Amino acid sequence: MAIGEITGIVAGTAFASRQELYDSRIHRTLRAGIVGSGSTGAESIVLSGGYVDDQDLGSEIIYTGHGGRDPATGRQIADQVFTRQNQALVTSCLQGLPVRVIRGSEHDAPQSPDAGYRYDGLYRVESYWHASGADGFLVCRFRLLALTSDRAQPSVVSADRSSSVGAAPRIMSTVLRIVRDTAVSRRVKELHHFQCQACGIRLECEGGPYAEAAHIRPLGAPHDGPDLMGNVLCLCPNHHVLFDNGAFGIADDFSFIGLGGRLRTSADHIIDRANLDYQRGMWGRS
Ligand SMILES: [Zn+2]
């Protein structure tokens, strides 16, 4: 899998054909609109006018999932479900992974290229849901938002950065969240089967489980915690917020401080106690 940017190919790069997209590894299939799997997330999508329910607002895209169509007429003849390529986009949403977006000339939108295809940079899958499509069957829908100051969103991002103190950190935190969902955090979630290490809950969403990776010693200045498994916990959103905001700490024997119970551990997930000590120190529990 190749999630994220492809080295040497910037947003705005034009491609004459699906074969060129394929050869460049920007979109690694010749026919399907979505590349990816439920286990790894979606690499890329192509907007090529296949679905009447798609909406393209530039930096925001409402994208219709795959399946349930009559190949002869293009009409929807069955409900779409959150499996296969649709599940790939669900995984991208639940794990905060970036998706490459390509627009084709057949796609009916002002942003579409005049001919061929254009890579328009990285988007994140902000949400997903089922909806009744134009033909009366359920379709899987995904809201994608542009991540970076690429062609799809040039003025918005630059305006935010220059004129609004509040907006820039929001954009940066979005990007950081993406960067943070690394192979390390995915591995930790998988080791714990997406169960919270504080309460044991596993949130079962339509299309897959959801958990968050919490860094014990925070990333970034001034803490400069490492993105290593020994510094990452698998937590539910509630316990992630509580932990990040000092509601509890974790003793060296993994019992909680400020909360009943103890950390659920795995023999394959060795936690660096120096990071626990650092987090305790941040909240006066040294
Ligand atoms: Zn929890």
Side-chain angles (χ1 to χ4, degrees), residues 37-53:
S37 70
S39 59
T40 55
E43 288 189 17
S44 54
I45 62 167
V46 172
L47 294 161
S48 57
Y51 285 94
V52 291
D53 299 312

Side-chain angles (χ1 to χ4, degrees), residues 195-201 234-240:
Q195 287 180 296
C196 175
Q197 286 184 256
C199 67
I201 198 169
C234 173
L235 295 178
C236 72
N238 282 355
H239 281 113
H240 191 180

Side-chain angles (χ1 to χ4, degrees), residues 205-226:
C205 303
E206 177 77 17
Y210 178 81
E212 297 188 351
H215 286 85
I216 300 167
R217 178 174 178 154
L219 298 178
H223 309 296
D224 297 322

Side-chain angles (χ1 to χ4, degrees), residues 47-70:
L47 294 161
S48 57
Y51 285 94
V52 291
D53 299 312
D54 287 346
Q55 291 171 33
D56 188 354
L57 308 171
S59 60
E60 178 182 0
I61 297 167
I62 309 298
Y63 186 74
T64 307
H66 164 87
R69 277 203 309 174
D70 180 346

